[in-house]
Amino acid sequence: MNFFDWPFALEILPRLLDASLATLGIALAGFAIAVVLGLFLAIGRRSRQRWLSWPITGLIEFIRSTPLLIQVYFLFYVLPNYGLQLSALQAGIIGIALHYACYTAEVYRAGLDAVPRAQWEAVTALNMRPWTAYRDVILPQALRPVLPALGNYLISILKDTPVLSAITVVEIMQRAKNIGSESFRYLEPITLVGLFFLILSLGLAWCVRRLENRMEPAR
Amino acid sequence: MNTPVQPDGTLSPTLGPEQPEQPEQPMVRFAGVTKRYGELTVLDGLDLDVQEGEKVAIIGPSGSGKSTLLRALMTLEEIDEGVIEVDGEPLTHMPDASGRLVRANTRHLRRVRGNVGMVFQSFNLFPHMSVRQNVMEAPVQVLGLAKSEARERAEELLAMVGLEDKLEHFPAQLSGGQQQRVAIARALAMRPKVMLFDEVTSALDPELCGEVLNVIRRLGEAHNLTMLMVTHQMGFAREFADRVCFFHQGRIHEQGTPDELFNQPREDRTREFLSAVNEAS
Amino acid sequence: MTELLPLLLQGAWVTVKVTFFGSLLAIACALIGALARLSPLAPLRWLAIVYIEVFRGSSLLVQLFWLYFVLPMPPFNIEMSAFAVAVVGLGLNIGAYGAEVLRGAIRSVHQGQHEACQALNMTPATRLRRIILPQALLAAIPPGTNLLIELLKNTSLVSLITLSDLAFRARQLDQATLMTLEIFGLALVIYFVLAQAINFAMRRLERHLARGRMRGGLS
C-alpha cells in the first residue's frame, strides 16, 4: 500500500473543496454576527445600569468557560422542546456566533478601556447623549486598535467549525469522515483537511500581521 | 638611577642598582579600543591604564561612551578593535598555540571576567529571590561554594552595607537606595578584583544617594579594590577618586587628579562641561 | 434529576483525568517548544516553528481524528486507546499555544536581568534555570490559565472519538431519557464549575509564587 495515495487524494479533492465552501460560509457568517453582537455586549457590560451589566458579565463568563460543543448541543437538542426548531446549520452558526461574541466583547472592552479618560470627560462636557458619544467619538478611537485581535478570532472560528460535524452539519471535516467510512482510507481525506486549515490559518495570520504593522505608524 | 638610601645612611641590601625597573602591571588596560554602532563611534581608539587599588571616576556628557567603557570591560558589549586586559590577561582575546591573539572562547572569557564585578544603574536585582538569596546565588551556582559558606559571606557583606535586618525581604519591598546596596553586596560576594559602578545613583531620589555613596566610600577605604565609576556626582568624584577622566566623543579628553581636573582644567571642552554641570546643580 | 447526576459525574471524572494528564503534557510541550524556539541552533528553531505552526494551524478536531483514525492504519500501525489519543492530542495542541505564550514571557524578562547574570559570570544554563525561567513562568500564569481552560473545554471534543467523557455521557443520556434541558444544562454547569476550579487553583499558585514581590518595578 502506498504511503500517500495521490490519485485518490486528487479524486476526493473536489468533494472536499465543495464542503469547504460550507466551512468558509459558516465561519464568515458566525464571525459577522459575533463582531456585531460582541460590541453590544461590551457596551452593555460597561453600562452603569446594574440590571444590564451584571447579567451580561455573568453570561460572558459562563459562555467563555463552557465548551462550544455543549452549547451547540443545547441549541440543537433543547430549544426544539420549547418550540424553537433550528436546522443543524442554523444551530451551528448561532452557537459559534454566541460563543465568539463573548470573546470579541472582551476585545472591545480592552479597546474601550484604552480610550483616554479625557475623551469621556470631553463628551460629558459637551453634554452628548451616550449613544452619540459612542458613535461619534469613542468607538472610532476604540475600534482601530482592536482590528488585529478580531482577525485572530476569525482564525479561531474557522478552526472550530469542524465541531459542528457533531450535529451532522456537512462541513469539510464531516465530508472527510464520510469519505473515510466509504473508502476505508482516512489518511488522505483527514490530512487534506488538516492542510486546508493550516494553509488558511497561516494565510489569515499573515494578513493579521500585515494589518498590525500597517496600524503601528498611525498610533 | 637613584640608589635607595636607608635612613641610617647605608645602602639598601634588597635592591641592587642594576635591577631594571619593572613597570607596574596595570590591573585594567584598554589599548586602542574602538566600538561602533553602525555609523556612530562610541569608543574611538581608547587607551586607559588603571593600577591596582586605583579609584578612577569617569565623567562627561551623556552619549560620550562612558557607560560603554564599563560595559565593554564587563563583556556586555563586544568591541570592534583593540585589546582589553584585566590583571595582565587579555579579556576579549587570548593567545593561540603560536602566541598570536585570537578572539577569546567562552571558557577564557568566563575565567577572566570572574575578576570583574559590576553594579548597574537600575540595580537589576533578582525579583524572585530574597535579599540573602540574591547575594548567595552566584557564589553557590558559579563559584560552587557550599550553601553555609555562601550564607555566611552574604550575611557579612549585607551587614557591611547596613542591611543585616533585611535578609528575608524581597527587592520590591526595599527602597531604591537599599536595593542598590544589595546589588553592591551581590557583586562583592564574587570577590572581584575590579568593581565597576555604572551611574549607580542616577535612578535614585536625591535623598537616597548618600547611603549608597557612603557604602562605596567605605569600600574604597577598607579594601584594595580597583574601582571604575561612571558618575554624575561631581562632588563625590572629587573627594573619592584618585584620578578623574573627562570623556568626550569616545575618547578621554583630559585626565588628572581631582584637583587638577576640577580646579585647573586645561581643555576648553572640560571647562564648558564643568561649568554647565555647576550651573545645573 | 437524581438519576442523571451519577452518570454525568462519571463522565466528568473522565473529563478531569483527560484535562489533568493533557495539561501535564501541554506544559512539557510548551516548555520544550519555547526553549527550542529560542535556541541558538537553527535546526532546533525550525523544528519548533513547524511543531507550533502545524498544531496551532490545523484544527484540534482534525488532529484528534488523525491520531484516532489514521495512525492505526498502515504505514503507521500505531493504535492508541481513545483516552491516550485524547491526552496526546490535547497536550500537543495546547502545548503549541503554550510554547508561544512562554516564549513571549521569556522574552519579556528585563534585559537587565541578563546583564546582571553575565556580570555575575553565570553560564547561560544557570541563568535560564535560576533567573529567567522562574520569572517567565510567573508571567505566563495568567495567559496559561486561559489555555488550561481552553484545554478543559476542548476535552469535550474527545466524545467525538468515542471517549465516554462528560459530553459523551450527556449525549448518551439525552438519547436515553429525553430530559434534554436538564442534561445539557447540568453538563454546562459542571464544565463551568471545573473551569472556575482551574481559575482558583492558578490564582492561588500565582499568589504563592509571587509572595513578597511585585512585578513591574525597577528591578
Side-chain angles (χ1 to χ4, degrees):
Chain A
M1 191 182 253
N2 280 336
F3 175 65
F4 193 93
D5 191 343
W6 287 100
F8 177 62
L10 273 179
E11 184 193 316
I12 60 173
L13 197 57
R15 288 179 71 194
L16 287 175
L17 285 179
D18 175 53
S20 78
L21 292 180
T23 298
L24 291 174
I26 293 166
L28 285 175
F31 180 66
I33 303 173
V35 161
V36 176
L37 186 59
L39 183 56
F40 284 107
L41 287 175
I43 294 175
R45 187 172 185 176
R46 286 176 73 90
S47 161
R48 256 179 246 138
Q49 310 291 331
R50 284 190 180 164
W51 60 266
L52 186 62
S53 64
W54 283 20
I56 289 179
T57 306
L59 184 77
I60 289 176
E61 286 307 314
F62 190 80
I63 290 187
R64 275 160 47 99
S65 34
T66 49
L68 172 64
L69 176 66
I70 312 289
Q71 290 161 11
V72 171
Y73 280 159
F74 198 92
L75 292 173
F76 190 60
Y77 295 117
V78 176
L79 292 189
N81 298 350
Y82 302 89
L84 195 57
Q85 187 77 49
L86 296 172
S87 72
L89 189 65
Q90 288 167 332
I93 291 175
I94 294 174
I96 283 181
L98 266 178
H99 191 81
Y100 278 95
C102 294
Y103 282 89
T104 57
E106 291 298 285
V107 171
Y108 288 124
R109 185 160 77 120
L112 289 169
D113 284 347
V115 175
R117 267 185 74 87
Q119 294 292 316
W120 288 99
E121 286 163 7
V123 293
T124 314
L126 292 171
N127 208 14
M128 280 188 185
R129 291 151 56 89
W131 180 238
T132 322
Y134 264 115
R135 194 193 55 203
D136 292 350
V137 182
I138 305 301
L139 285 184
Q141 299 180 60
L143 291 190
R144 246 179 81 88
V146 305
L147 287 180
L150 291 180
N152 282 329
Y153 279 119
L154 175 58
I155 302 176
S156 300
I157 288 179
L158 188 74
K159 289 183 297 183
D160 260 356
T161 49
V163 171
L164 304 189
S165 65
I167 53 167
T168 69
V169 173
V170 183
E171 41 66 68
I172 189 167
M173 187 72 242
Q174 179 74 6
R175 178 63 55 83
K177 253 169 59 186
N178 291 344
I179 293 173
S181 55
E182 288 163 17
S183 63
F184 298 105
R185 283 198 68 93
Y186 284 98
L187 173 62
E188 291 80 8
I190 297 183
T191 307
L192 284 177
V193 173
L195 279 176
F196 166 79
F197 282 111
L198 188 59
I199 290 167
L200 221 55
S201 55
L202 285 179
L204 280 171
W206 183 79
C207 294
V208 169
R209 258 201 311 281
R210 278 203 51 172
L211 187 65
E212 258 171 352
N213 292 342
R214 256 192 34 200
M215 291 191 352
E216 239 153 48
R219 283 271 138 186
Chain B
M1 183 171 276
N2 286 335
T3 310
V5 179
Q6 298 291 78
D8 58 359
T10 61
L11 286 176
S12 159
T14 51
L15 283 175
E18 258 74 55
Q19 207 161 21
E21 195 172 317
Q22 278 281 340
E24 209 182 324
Q25 170 104 299
M27 178 55 80
V28 173
R29 159 168 282 170
F30 286 79
V33 172
T34 296
K35 166 76 187 172
R36 297 186 198 88
Y37 292 117
E39 295 283 283
L40 187 71
T41 303
V42 204
L43 298 179
D44 187 6
L46 175 89
D47 294 314
L48 173 68
D49 281 4
V50 182
Q51 303 303 326
E52 185 175 1
E54 198 180 7
K55 279 62 174 154
V56 176
I58 297 157
I59 61 171
S62 45
S64 58
K66 303 172 307 233
S67 288
T68 310
L69 174 115
L70 297 192
R71 293 170 58 81
L73 183 50
M74 195 68 260
T75 66
L76 295 172
E77 308 274 357
E78 284 192 18
I79 57 174
D80 298 307
E81 287 165 32
V83 174
I84 302 176
E85 286 178 13
V86 177
D87 203 11
E89 275 196 279
L91 171 66
T92 51
H93 295 72
M94 59 181 190
D96 66 2
S98 63
R100 238 162 23 101
L101 284 186
V102 294
R103 281 223 166 268
N105 62 18
T106 322
R107 230 174 89 221
H108 177 88
L109 213 59
R110 279 173 49 75
R111 189 166 56 76
V112 181
R113 182 164 62 203
N115 293 322
V116 186
M118 184 161 180
V119 182
F120 298 87
Q121 179 178 347
S122 52
F123 328 141
N124 299 345
L125 293 181
F126 304 134
H128 58 300
M129 295 182 177
S130 72
V131 164
R132 193 204 329 246
Q133 287 169 324
N134 258 281
V135 183
M136 285 173 61
E137 178 66 15
V140 171
Q141 298 291 335
V142 180
L143 304 180
L145 247 60
K147 279 242 168 85
S148 56
E149 197 180 339
R151 178 174 300 130
E152 213 168 282
R153 188 185 281 193
E155 286 172 5
E156 200 176 294
L157 285 166
L158 285 166
M160 195 201 80
V161 300
L163 291 173
E164 62 274 25
D165 55 339
K166 304 283 185 201
L167 297 175
E168 302 304 330
H169 284 58
F170 281 80
Q173 297 167 316
L174 302 181
S175 73
Q178 290 169 331
Q179 290 191 52
Q180 195 59 295
R181 281 144 66 196
V182 176
I184 293 173
R186 183 177 69 173
L188 287 174
M190 298 297 282
R191 300 268 158 92
K193 295 178 182 162
V194 182
M195 276 285 278
L196 310 179
F197 296 89
D198 187 10
E199 301 195 26
V200 292
T201 55
S202 294
L204 298 178
D205 293 333
E207 71 271 19
L208 299 176
C209 293
E211 59 188 70
V212 173
L213 294 179
N214 275 333
V215 166
I216 297 175
R217 192 177 290 127
R218 283 210 307 280
L219 200 63
E221 288 160 3
H223 300 261
N224 195 30
L225 258 182
T226 309
M227 292 160 102
L228 274 80
M229 67 177 63
V230 168
T231 183
H232 293 295
Q233 305 261 343
M234 296 305 150
F236 185 72
R238 181 191 294 249
E239 88 175 271
F240 179 74
D242 301 317
R243 176 153 51 122
V244 181
C245 299
F246 172 67
F247 228 74
H248 183 55
Q249 293 182 338
R251 293 166 171 276
I252 295 174
H253 205 65
E254 181 172 358
Q255 56 178 317
T257 64
D259 178 56
E260 284 166 357
L261 199 100
F262 286 114
N263 297 337
Q264 318 137 45
R266 295 183 306 271
E267 302 280 340
D268 291 343
R269 279 295 310 153
T270 318
R271 269 194 291 277
E272 274 169 44
F273 173 74
L274 289 174
S275 69
V277 171
N278 281 337
E279 261 168 53
S281 59
Chain C
M1 228 18 207
T2 45
E3 65 270 31
L4 297 178
L5 206 52
L7 269 174
L8 281 180
L9 286 179
Q10 253 179 42
W13 178 237
V14 175
T15 295
V16 168
K17 280 197 291 190
V18 173
T19 305
F20 179 77
F21 291 112
S23 300
L24 290 188
L25 181 62
I27 290 167
C29 289
L31 200 56
I32 294 168
L35 292 182
R37 180 76 178 75
L38 292 168
S39 153
L41 301 174
L44 269 184
R45 277 204 307 277
W46 296 332
L47 268 179
I49 290 174
V50 169
Y51 160 62
I52 291 168
E53 294 303 338
V54 165
F55 277 88
R56 290 198 321 164
S58 66
S59 186
L60 170 64
L61 191 60
V62 179
Q63 291 156 26
L64 289 175
F65 280 180
W66 209 92
L67 293 174
Y68 193 68
F69 290 112
V70 179
L71 268 193
M73 300 252 200
F76 307 105
N77 296 317
I78 301 170
E79 196 147 355
M80 286 194 280
S81 69
F83 184 83
V85 166
V87 168
V88 170
L90 285 164
L92 286 173
N93 180 271
I94 296 292
Y97 288 91
E100 285 295 273
V101 163
L102 199 54
R103 179 169 74 108
I106 288 174
R107 287 177 45 163
S108 77
V109 173
H110 198 276
Q111 181 59 26
Q113 295 289 311
H114 293 267
E115 294 188 351
C117 292
Q118 190 164 349
L120 293 168
N121 221 355
M122 288 185 191
T123 60
T126 307
R127 174 197 324 183
L128 184 71
R129 183 171 57 87
R130 301 282 307 175
I131 308 300
I132 305 301
L133 270 186
Q135 296 181 55
L137 288 174
L138 181 67
I141 285 182
T145 306
N146 287 339
L147 282 183
L148 289 186
I149 290 176
E150 283 302 308
L151 195 153
L152 166 73
K153 287 159 53 182
N154 286 339
T155 55
S156 62
L157 299 188
V158 306
S159 64
L160 303 181
I161 54 166
T162 72
L163 192 61
S164 46
D165 73 328
L166 179 52
F168 186 89
R169 290 288 183 200
R171 272 294 282 136
Q172 202 181 29
L173 280 172
D174 175 47
Q175 280 160 353
T177 66
L178 299 177
M179 295 172 74
T180 316
L181 174 67
E182 291 84 348
I183 291 163
F184 290 118
L186 260 178
L188 283 173
V189 168
I190 295 175
Y191 277 112
F192 181 74
V193 169
L194 290 176
Q196 297 315 307
I198 291 178
N199 238 330
F200 177 77
M202 294 298 277
R203 286 232 184 92
R204 284 286 297 266
L205 179 68
E206 186 182 16
R207 210 162 339 138
H208 175 73
L209 292 176
R211 80 200 119 74
R213 54 182 154 141
M214 295 175 291
R215 296 196 52 81
L218 242 182
S219 50

